[in-house]
Amino acid sequence: MTRRPIMAGNWKMNNLMNDSASLTLGILDGIKDLNESQMPEVIIAPTFTSLALVSRLIKDSSKIALAAQNCHWENSGAYTGEVTVGMLKDLGCKYIIIGHSERRQYFSETDEMINKKAKSILAGGLLPIICCGETLEQRESGVTDEHIASQIRAALSGLSNEEIAKSVIAYEPIWAIGTGKTCDSAEANRVIAMIRNVVKEISDSSTADSIRILYGGSVKPATIEEQMSMSDIDGALIGGASLKADSFNEIITNSMKVAV
Ligand code: PEP
């Protein structure tokens, strides 16, 4: 089974509309001559306030897909400040990132909420990018695998095999996010293979072979080739290095040096 790689940029809480427009145009320019059939699926996740603008800028390109960074699980109602899956679909989003460690840590998001969001996203016709990852303390105390397995089981609970197969998981060790410390590629691959095994246990082997599992945590142009050469790493979720068109484009082109 060949899984199409994904290079996804998470812009987090950065960029006014002008900045988002320049970054989007810079990415479009950097990838314009790449052969689409050899490209990874490129995804960008601007802030809510830039989604409409970025959506318009990329509408004529099939090379970039749009993602939101969060959503609510209800379809409407008295949830001041929240945004529904339908609203994000209306803006042209294909993916929604859920369960990012920053949302779990600063906004008290639980596994149960992430599961409700995953169900709502799939029911609404979009695809979740489900983040998981351990803290440094958990890694040092030897509970990485059990912690991540439990996050994955909870997030995917009640989903059909078909829904799981088209979802995306991002393994992001929290100690590697925004710190400049990347997780050793072989270790990231080991954890991702473990996640694939958990997916197999709760679904079946063809589902586990289909689901794309990304690595995230200080990915840079210089690290992506080695990461993409690993058997189970299907792409990257990129924070800091996705905020400059040059580095994001270099990550995309460097990732293509690795045969899949
Ligand atoms: C992220 O927040 O998803 C991330 C991986 O950030 P960074 O690349 O900056 O570590």
Side-chain angles (χ1 to χ4, degrees):
M1 147 75 59
T2 315
R3 297 179 289 267
R4 186 175 182 205
I6 290 179
M7 294 296 137
N10 173 14
W11 296 0
K12 308 195 186 189
M13 196 175 70
N14 292 295
N15 292 344
L16 299 180
M17 283 202 282
N18 265 341
D19 309 310
S20 295
S22 328
L23 180 51
T24 306
L25 295 174
I27 298 168
L28 283 168
D29 189 51
I31 63 176
K32 69 177 187 306
D33 296 328
L34 300 180
N35 180 338
E36 196 174 343
S37 65
Q38 287 159 12
M39 277 181 69
E41 187 172 1
V42 174
I43 302 173
I44 51 178
T47 53
F48 286 137
T49 54
S50 286
L51 281 173
L53 173 64
V54 172
S55 183
R56 278 199 298 278
L57 292 173
I58 63 173
K59 81 173 185 328
D60 294 328
S61 169
S62 49
K63 291 180 173 173
I64 306 187
L66 192 63
Q69 299 174 19
N70 184 31
C71 66
H72 197 274
W73 56 85
E74 294 291 349
N75 292 328
S76 63
Y79 298 98
T80 302
E82 292 292 329
V83 171
T84 69
V85 172
M87 291 166 186
L88 297 170
K89 189 175 181 185
D90 197 29
L91 283 172
C93 289
K94 176 173 177 192
Y95 291 94
I96 305 179
I97 299 171
I98 53 173
H100 193 282
S101 58
E102 288 151 14
R103 296 216 55 89
R104 293 181 193 254
Q105 185 182 348
Y106 306 132
F107 304 99
S108 308
E109 288 199 2
T110 62
D111 284 335
E112 195 194 350
M113 289 157 81
I114 291 153
N115 178 239
K116 285 193 208 168
K117 290 181 187 202
K119 286 178 174 157
S120 171
I121 291 167
L122 287 155
L126 302 192
L127 302 170
I129 299 176
I130 303 164
C131 302
C132 62
E134 80 286 359
T135 60
L136 188 56
E137 204 183 356
Q138 286 167 326
R139 174 157 284 269
E140 285 173 348
S141 57
V143 298
T144 297
D145 291 14
E146 73 186 76
H147 172 69
I148 286 163
S150 118
Q151 285 185 320
I152 294 303
R153 285 177 193 282
L156 301 180
S157 170
L159 300 188
S160 68
N161 290 357
E162 198 190 316
E163 287 174 324
I164 294 175
K166 57 190 179 186
S167 299
V168 177
I169 292 174
Y171 166 56
E172 301 205 299
I174 297 170
W175 48 271
I177 296 181
T179 58
K181 283 187 218 158
T182 40
C183 178
D184 175 73
S185 299
E187 171 58 9
N189 194 54
R190 185 197 67 76
V191 176
I192 288 177
M194 184 277 299
I195 295 172
R196 204 175 296 288
N197 205 40
V198 171
V199 172
K200 185 172 159 190
E201 278 165 29
I202 57 180
S203 57
D204 57 25
S205 5
S206 95
T207 305
D209 275 349
S210 303
I211 190 169
R212 289 173 295 172
I213 312 182
L214 318 181
Y215 166 75
S218 299
V219 170
K220 299 178 208 70
T223 66
I224 193 69
E225 240 182 287
E226 182 181 286
Q227 287 152 343
M228 290 310 291
S229 70
M230 298 286 143
S231 60
D232 278 78
I233 301 182
D234 299 324
L237 182 56
I238 305 137
S242 73
L243 287 172
K244 294 265 178 295
D246 285 354
S247 53
F248 190 56
N249 291 338
E250 209 181 330
I251 288 174
I252 296 166
T253 47
N254 286 354
S255 78
M256 292 167 65
K257 294 179 185 162
V258 182
V260 279

